[in-house]
Amino acid sequence: MNPDLTEPAAGAAEAYLTKLQTRLAADGCTTTSPHWKDRRVVVGCRADRKARWFGTKTELFVLAAAVPEVDTAVLGEFTGWAMEYAKGLRSGLPGARNAATVLPALVSARVHPEAARWAARDALLLGTTLIGRPLTVETGPGVTRTTMYRGGVAWGGMFTGHVLEKAALYFP
């Protein structure tokens, strides 16, 4: 592997994470930086309650890490870890007027097409109130390509517009 090609690619992914953390904080998210497999993870958390949701609180957890390349195996592993991590951060009683969405994102200059297709395929459910929408973020010279499932879900569907609005803000 040519180090001259790897370093700028890794630098672009890390720069994207730094900007993501700034966007999360500017939107009122609490941010932290734990580690997954010796990689820094940018975590942003926020909770919202709106009258149109009939008093239900929704929590949004964003977890993003830069990796050398994204394939379906690493995206699936990170998504599972992110959903379990978010489950541990949740406040209130799950299911008691409290729902949560997790946006696990892997950022890289090399995203395998099958990983992007997997992210765009559907949302994932952990238990009955934790919805995951994995993302791939491909960073390249002058372009960033984000892939995620943008459709509705049966459980937590009333929050879909809110989640997609926040995802567009955080992952432009």
Side-chain angles (χ1 to χ4, degrees), residues 8 25 27 35 46 91-92 94 110 112 114 140 142 150 156-157 160-161:
D27 193 42
H35 284 81
R46 65 174 294 125
S91 64
R110 292 187 304 265
H112 293 215
E114 65 274 5
R150 299 181 193 280
T160 297

Side-chain angles (χ1 to χ4, degrees), residues 20-21 24-25 27-34 42-48 58-63 82 85-91 101-103 162 166 170:
L20 170 63
Q21 190 164 21
L24 291 166
D27 193 42
C29 293
T30 301
T31 61
T32 58
S33 293
V42 171
V43 176
C45 307
R46 65 174 294 125
D48 294 290
T58 184
E59 293 178 284
L60 181 62
F61 300 95
V62 175
L63 295 95
Y85 189 88
K87 183 178 171 183
L89 294 176
R90 291 189 70 180
S91 64
T101 300
V102 182
L103 300 177
H162 175 71
K166 293 300 181 184
Y170 304 150

Side-chain angles (χ1 to χ4, degrees), residues 13 18-19 38 68 72 126:
T18 300
K19 290 176 185 174
D38 296 328
T72 53
L126 178 64

